[in-house]
Amino acid sequence: MGRSDVRPSRSSPLAWGVLGLWLLVVVLALPLAGQLGESTEDEGVDYLPASAESTEVARLTELLPGGDTTDLLLVAQRPGGLTAEDRALVERRLERIDALFDVAAGDPAAAGVVSGDGGTALHPFSLGELGEEEQGQAVGEIRELIADPPQGLTLALGGPGALGVDAEAVFESIDVTLMLATAGIVAVLLVLTYRSPLLWLLPLFAVGVAAVAAMALVNGLVSWFDLTVTTMSSSIMTVLIFGAGTDYALLLVARYREELRRLPGAGEAMAAALRGCGPALLASSGTVSLGLLCLTFADLNSSSGLGPVGAVGVLCALAVMVTLLPALLVLLGRRVFWPLVPRHGESRATGRDTFFARLGSSISRRPVTVLVGGTLLLGALALGTFRLPGPLAEQDNFTETPASVRAMELVADAFPERSGQPIAVLADADHAQEVREAALATDGVAEAEAGREGGGWREIQVFATDPPESEGEQATVDALRERLAELPEAKALVGGPTAQTMDLADTASHDQRLVIPLVLTVVLLVLAVLLRALVAPLLLLAAVVASWGAAMGLGGLVFGPVLGFEGLDAQVPLLSFVFCVALGVDYGIFLMHRMREEALNGADTRTAALDALRTTGGVIASAGVVLAATFCVLAGMPMVVMAEMGFVVAVGVLLDTFLVRTYLVTSASWLLGRRVWWPGPLGRRPAAPGQRAAVDAVPAGAGPRGDAG
């Protein structure tokens, strides 16, 4: 071909218009996108079930006098017993704290609570109402005051206020780290995929535009509909935009490259590429978005808020990848692919020597062996779910233990006879004494102290005899709820960290029973409409559910024994299921849509299955690696819930990309033949005499060439 093959195509007014429109969107959206961080809410109540009893306690407690105080606990410990000098030092530090800060409750310089062996002393106190930034500064200054104690003496700051500050510090570190790490990984993978000094920049730029637009839209949803957006949901949105957006770009660019070899102009090649892969992209984004929107039916606040946030991210990624990216590619012409410029009229690599062609040939020779072997492997991996750890306690939700959690661990070790954190009970103020007496008479209760009063409610702090969030304390919570239910006039509510963990587990179980069938139904309907069949969608659904089960099983083998996680966050099973199914089925959509296209063009189903694997294998493998890599970034975040979910989704995507989609779906399609399209027209159409037949020989006993059935 001549030099005209590498010259940019004639500038398209439509392409320039699309580019200008998106630049205007970015200019308008940037200020709103920058405000999203201020709209995120990471209070404990934002991660609790909307209708749970413990959530109601948390809300009402904030309204009581002193509900906005910063509750802290200074812990002093020396093995072998605190000395007189230790006590004097602690008293001076506490007096300094009292002088510097507005101490709203508790006498910092009081003797405190001393353990039975005399080695540990607790000094609880509360600071007055402080803003989030002021609270962080106060905790930081107090930690500086108690730093560098004498050798052998340990001083630590704990309590809900310190734990909240440490959690907020973790949340603040997530956004920027996640964005930079995800962009870096995607950039490296795009360079390796395209092997071009320019082409990789276009999808990355488009993803950045999608991220800005999505953050601005989500910030608008917060203002217009009072949507709850947590750091976790905004982080997952970022991962989805980069992962799904890059996947869409890979599929579009691969098809565009094909069409550039077939057609002379960049504009007409792009139009053909959009016609060819557009339905698959729409079905893919629709599947993910609708699957995520099913989460709005969840009772857990953080899960229900994640649904629309994630859907906005995916739809913005789709909008950019089918408008802005095509415009950029058309304006730059063929030379954007340099040095591997696709030339009009050159043949593409369609021979049998390509990796996925050889893979398809091996599958066609032993389809039953491949299908049975792969299924058994997934089943074996899924057995690891029996090794999944129990519920994750609040203090264990960090991959690196913060100072406040270490302080509470000292308390738990020094006072094994009682819980170091109270079970919060709220009751009608007129019946508070009756409730306190009933609590004291409940098995497992060590103490019950009347607390603050306001708005007709009285707070009662109940201390269990068992350690925090242990099975024993959970039994005490159940017993309290049963006992206080016998006093309906008291309107007593039981909350606190342990009750929240229990309510989270119950709500997560309820949400799974509700949302999982809904997701499966929605995905099945989308697939049925796209593929005009029922068997193929059921096959794809079964495959992705199996890959999710195997990924959860691997999590059971890794979370505790390898990573040292103390529990499984209650949100992980449901959220990972939605992502594994909705995202994993994408690759089945790309494969099956191309397979159906080949069948409509005259190939029998078996030939279509092998052609689809050969033509889409490379791009889908690249897309799977990119998506898994973005979720691996999530797995590296400092919160256990993100690490666990990132691990499960990344492993699930890789299993779906390299095992389920490549081997199981292809071998099952080969064995089913045209029955895979039942009850659609392709499933009823007999093989025509001149129809292209399978190119690979089938061994004896494997069935005839061409369509089965």
Side-chain angles (χ1 to χ4, degrees):
M1 291 292 131
R3 295 177 58 189
S4 60
D5 285 327
V6 297
R7 286 202 301 262
S9 61
R10 182 179 299 173
S11 297
S12 165
L14 178 60
W16 281 112
V18 170
L19 177 59
L21 179 62
W22 275 111
L23 290 177
L24 178 62
V25 168
V26 170
V27 171
L28 296 176
L30 268 175
L32 291 174
Q35 297 171 11
L36 180 60
E38 302 173 5
S39 302
T40 56
E41 301 179 20
D42 293 305
E43 298 294 331
V45 70
D46 299 315
Y47 289 88
L48 295 177
S51 62
E53 184 175 334
S54 59
T55 306
E56 186 66 14
V57 171
R59 291 195 183 108
L60 292 173
T61 300
E62 292 180 354
L63 302 178
L64 294 177
D68 292 330
T69 60
T70 303
D71 297 327
L72 300 172
L73 181 67
L74 181 63
V75 184
Q77 183 184 70
R78 180 185 290 276
L82 293 167
T83 65
E85 291 78 8
D86 294 336
R87 295 190 183 94
L89 173 68
V90 170
E91 184 175 344
R92 290 195 298 273
R93 295 289 188 272
L94 290 168
E95 288 174 348
R96 179 66 172 160
I97 292 172
D98 197 12
L100 288 175
F101 301 99
D102 176 21
V103 177
D107 182 2
V113 181
V114 182
S115 61
D117 61 3
T120 304
L122 312 181
H123 298 267
F125 61 97
S126 299
L127 303 184
E129 184 175 341
L130 298 173
E132 187 176 289
E133 186 175 347
E134 294 173 325
Q135 187 181 66
Q137 291 175 351
V139 169
E141 291 180 25
I142 292 173
R143 283 176 171 160
E144 290 181 5
L145 283 174
I146 63 174
D148 301 323
Q151 186 175 4
L153 177 65
T154 299
L155 295 178
L157 189 67
L163 184 62
V165 169
D166 288 341
E168 185 62 32
V170 171
F171 287 130
E172 289 178 354
S173 70
I174 287 175
D175 287 338
V176 176
T177 303
L178 184 70
M179 180 72 76
L180 293 177
T182 306
I185 285 181
V186 169
V188 170
L189 292 175
L190 286 173
V191 170
L192 294 176
T193 299
Y194 289 137
R195 290 170 291 173
S196 167
L198 177 61
L199 182 57
W200 67 275
L201 287 170
L202 301 187
L204 196 61
F205 172 73
V207 166
V209 171
V212 170
M215 287 189 287
L217 278 175
V218 170
N219 191 50
L221 291 177
V222 173
S223 302
W224 302 329
F225 301 104
D226 197 26
L227 180 70
T228 297
V229 180
T230 64
T231 296
M232 186 181 75
S233 59
S234 65
S235 299
I236 291 174
M237 182 185 72
T238 300
V239 170
L240 282 174
I241 293 172
F242 274 85
T246 306
D247 280 4
Y248 300 154
L250 288 169
L251 189 70
L252 176 65
V253 172
R255 189 62 180 261
Y256 177 53
R257 189 195 293 267
E258 284 185 36
E259 300 298 340
L260 283 174
R261 296 189 179 100
R262 190 174 66 87
L263 299 169
E268 56 184 328
M270 179 56 70
L274 287 171
R275 286 195 301 271
C277 66
L281 293 178
L282 289 173
S284 169
S285 60
T287 300
V288 178
S289 300
L290 291 174
L292 287 169
L293 287 175
C294 291
L295 287 171
T296 58
F297 293 94
D299 190 37
L300 193 62
N301 287 333
S302 54
S303 296
S304 60
L306 173 59
V309 171
V312 166
V314 171
L315 292 176
C316 284
L318 173 72
V320 168
M321 293 307 168
V322 297
T323 56
L324 176 59
L325 180 61
L328 293 171
L329 289 168
V330 168
L331 291 174
L332 291 173
R334 297 174 185 266
R335 65 178 179 179
V336 75
F337 290 93
W338 186 88
L340 304 175
V341 180
R343 301 180 184 276
H344 177 222
E346 73 177 356
S347 60
R348 57 179 179 172
T350 59
R352 300 184 189 181
D353 58 341
T354 62
F355 171 77
F356 285 100
R358 294 194 301 271
L359 183 60
S361 178
S362 66
I363 291 173
S364 68
R365 287 193 292 271
R366 297 179 181 84
V368 175
T369 302
V370 170
L371 181 60
V372 173
T375 303
L376 290 176
L377 175 59
L378 289 176
L381 293 175
L383 293 176
T385 55
F386 294 105
R387 296 289 305 275
L388 285 168
L392 185 69
E394 181 184 23
Q395 68 266 21
D396 295 328
N397 199 21
F398 302 94
T399 55
E400 296 182 4
T401 306
S404 56
V405 172
R406 287 196 294 270
M408 300 313 293
E409 289 173 349
L410 293 176
V411 175
D413 293 339
F415 298 89
E417 73 281 359
R418 55 168 280 180
S419 173
Q421 62 187 13
I423 300 170
V425 176
L426 287 182
D428 182 272
D430 295 334
H431 298 84
Q433 183 59 29
E434 186 180 356
V435 169
R436 179 176 176 273
E437 292 173 357
L440 285 170
T442 303
D443 290 340
V445 172
E447 297 178 33
E449 304 169 355
R452 298 167 295 174
E453 180 180 346
W457 294 94
R458 166 76 74 171
E459 180 186 34
I460 300 169
Q461 294 186 328
V462 178
F463 291 88
T465 57
D466 293 285
E469 301 190 54
S470 63
E471 292 184 4
E473 191 179 40
Q474 291 182 18
T476 302
V477 170
D478 283 331
L480 267 174
R481 284 177 168 172
E482 291 178 8
R483 184 65 176 267
L484 299 181
E486 299 173 0
L487 304 172
E489 68 280 359
K491 304 176 184 178
L493 301 170
V494 180
T498 300
Q500 290 171 4
T501 300
M502 297 167 63
D503 290 342
L504 274 172
D506 292 340
T507 302
S509 179
H510 167 270
D511 288 348
Q512 289 169 29
R513 293 192 300 270
L514 174 65
V515 176
I516 286 178
L518 191 59
V519 170
L520 292 175
T521 301
V522 168
V523 172
L524 180 62
L525 290 175
V526 173
L527 292 175
V529 171
L530 174 71
L531 301 176
R532 307 293 195 275
L534 188 58
V535 172
L538 288 172
L539 172 62
L540 292 180
L541 269 186
V544 293
V545 171
S547 65
W548 169 75
M552 286 294 293
L554 280 172
L557 301 176
V558 169
F559 290 158
V562 178
L563 300 179
F565 296 159
E566 297 295 331
L568 178 71
D569 190 275
Q571 303 174 79
V572 170
L574 176 60
L575 295 184
S576 65
F577 177 87
V578 172
F579 288 124
C580 282
V581 170
L583 294 172
V585 84
D586 279 2
Y587 305 127
I589 288 175
F590 299 156
L591 177 72
M592 280 289 189
H593 183 264
R594 188 57 181 261
M595 182 175 153
R596 187 173 186 274
E597 187 179 342
E598 296 288 342
L600 289 172
N601 289 335
D604 65 77
T605 303
R606 286 180 167 175
T607 302
L610 300 185
D611 284 347
L613 177 63
R614 173 177 49 78
T615 55
T616 66
V619 65
I620 293 179
S622 299
V625 169
V626 168
L627 187 60
T630 57
F631 272 93
C632 281
V633 175
L634 194 65
M637 292 297 101
M639 296 194 68
V640 171
V641 58
M642 292 187 179
E644 290 177 338
M645 187 164 59
F647 176 89
V648 173
V649 177
V651 170
V653 167
L654 291 176
L655 285 173
D656 194 80
T657 302
F658 294 103
L659 174 60
V660 172
R661 188 266 315 175
T662 304
Y663 289 96
L664 301 190
V665 173
T666 302
S667 60
S669 300
W670 172 274
L671 291 169
L672 288 168
R674 68 172 181 268
R675 287 189 292 265
V676 78
W677 306 116
W678 184 90
L682 284 176
R684 300 190 301 269
R685 188 173 69 183
Q691 191 177 43
R692 288 192 289 129
V695 296
D696 295 283
V698 182
R705 294 165 65 98
D707 276 331

